[in-house]
Amino acid sequence: MLPASKTAGRPWTDHRGALEGMVWKYRTGAPWRDVPERFGKWNSIYKRFNRWAGDGTWEALLAEVHKLADASGEVEWVVAIDSTIARVHQHGATLARGTGGGSNHKNPPWWEPPDHGIGRSRGGLTCKVHLVADGKGRPLSWAVTAGNINDTTMLSTVLDGIRVPRLGPGRPRTRPDRVLADKGYPSKANRAWLRARGIAATIPEREDQIAHRAKRPGRPIDFGAEQQQRYRARNVVERCFNKLKQWRGIAMRTDKLARNYRAAIALAATLIWLRSTLINTA
């Protein structure tokens, strides 16, 4: 699934050593220069990782794993969405940043935003990962933005990123059966977007929305006992973040480029899916 390359005119396809070096770097959070020599030259490993981040290889690799999981019925299509903050290490905040530059779902995932996904919030320089996980807590799609970007504005962008290819003919599956989200996502725009696509929603209203509805009566949001029972499954996305943040290079961002940080998440997500699928089919 990984591309063939050439070194000194000789073709090679064995990426095992380089991949293990990449995993070691992000699991430990160490600088690239500290990658042990047993994995190969650190500069070669970095260049290969950077090249694959730039041409979409990591997303293609994860898509292949998604395809195999879907073909075996492994994907749970009642999904949960949320975001998490990652502090930006000083090594990752050395590039000049433009203002604005929020994520745009029309851009490819390896597109680099002008702000490099770094913003200033209460925690200082931070990066935010908006992620949707399947019903078993495995990443389906995510977006990297500055830490000050509001969650509710990113729901459609993250869900639009779901692309699970079919093993045979047919278009990729892009729409889950239901979306579970907390009180950070209950805007009218989000509910309308989900309704237009036939996606069921389990999203509680905020207190201010309930109070506003009491002043101007309208159709109430259904959040009875059945919806509350469904909402209990929303914790799968929190468990997904726990798995990702066991990778220290993801828990604290040291990458200068947002596309490289996103690629690191794709690497971790691929291994999470492979490990989960192997355990469940053993």
Side-chain angles (χ1 to χ4, degrees):
M1 290 185 285
L2 289 171
S5 299
K6 292 184 178 180
T7 300
R10 298 180 181 179
W12 49 263
T13 57
D14 185 8
H15 302 287
R16 180 180 293 274
L19 276 172
E20 289 179 350
M22 298 170 196
V23 171
W24 184 92
K25 180 262 187 294
Y26 282 102
R27 285 289 291 185
T28 62
W32 283 105
R33 290 177 181 272
D34 291 344
V35 173
E37 291 185 3
R38 66 178 182 272
F39 300 124
K41 295 181 179 179
W42 72 267
N43 196 36
S44 298
I45 296 172
Y46 166 73
K47 286 181 178 178
R48 202 176 308 181
F49 178 86
N50 186 58
R51 182 170 63 250
W52 291 345
D55 62 16
T57 295
W58 294 113
E59 283 74 15
L61 179 62
L62 180 59
E64 189 69 20
V65 174
H66 281 165
K67 178 173 68 176
L68 297 176
D70 183 60
S72 60
E74 281 286 324
V75 183
E76 293 285 347
W77 285 102
V78 176
V79 305
I81 185 171
D82 206 348
S83 68
T84 187
I85 289 284
R87 285 291 303 273
V88 179
H89 192 273
Q90 60 185 1
H91 292 165
T94 58
L95 297 180
R97 299 187 301 279
T99 57
S103 295
N104 186 334
H105 67 276
K106 295 181 181 179
N107 293 316
W110 49 91
W111 172 78
E112 183 65 20
D115 62 0
H116 306 297
I118 298 174
R120 193 172 297 278
S121 61
R122 291 183 179 181
L125 290 179
T126 55
C127 175
K128 184 176 282 190
V129 180
H130 307 263
L131 182 142
V132 58
D134 84 324
K136 294 182 180 178
R138 299 163 300 187
L140 282 174
S141 172
W142 61 93
V144 174
T145 69
N148 56 301
I149 299 298
N150 192 285
D151 289 357
T152 192
T153 62
M154 294 299 299
L155 181 139
S156 59
T157 299
V158 180
L159 291 178
D160 257 340
I162 297 177
R163 292 286 187 280
V164 177
R166 309 289 186 177
L167 188 59
R171 292 181 294 179
R173 177 161 181 176
T174 60
R175 299 181 184 179
D177 296 328
R178 179 176 293 274
V179 173
L180 313 178
D182 63 14
K183 293 183 179 181
Y185 297 89
S187 70
K188 290 183 179 179
N190 283 344
R191 293 187 190 277
W193 189 90
L194 292 169
R195 190 163 49 247
R197 287 157 179 76
I199 303 173
T202 299
I203 308 175
E205 286 187 294
R206 298 192 305 269
E207 297 300 325
D208 64 316
Q209 292 176 320
I210 295 173
H212 180 72
R213 190 181 298 280
K215 295 178 182 178
R216 300 179 60 182
R219 184 177 178 181
I221 299 298
D222 176 22
F223 206 77
E226 185 177 355
Q227 286 282 60
Q228 292 176 22
Q229 182 65 26
R230 290 194 184 106
Y231 185 72
R232 296 177 65 181
R234 194 196 66 84
N235 68 84
V236 294
V237 69
E238 305 294 350
R239 286 187 274 146
C240 182
F241 285 135
N242 287 341
K243 294 174 186 175
L244 286 174
K245 288 198 169 184
Q246 290 176 12
W247 295 59
R248 295 184 180 183
I250 294 175
M252 174 171 283
R253 174 178 163 178
T254 57
D255 290 290
K256 295 181 176 69
L257 301 180
R259 67 180 176 91
N260 282 15
Y261 185 63
R262 179 185 170 90
I265 298 173
L267 170 59
T270 301
L271 293 180
I272 288 172
W273 273 95
L274 287 174
R275 185 172 182 271
S276 173
T277 304
L278 288 172
I279 289 174
N280 290 336
T281 57

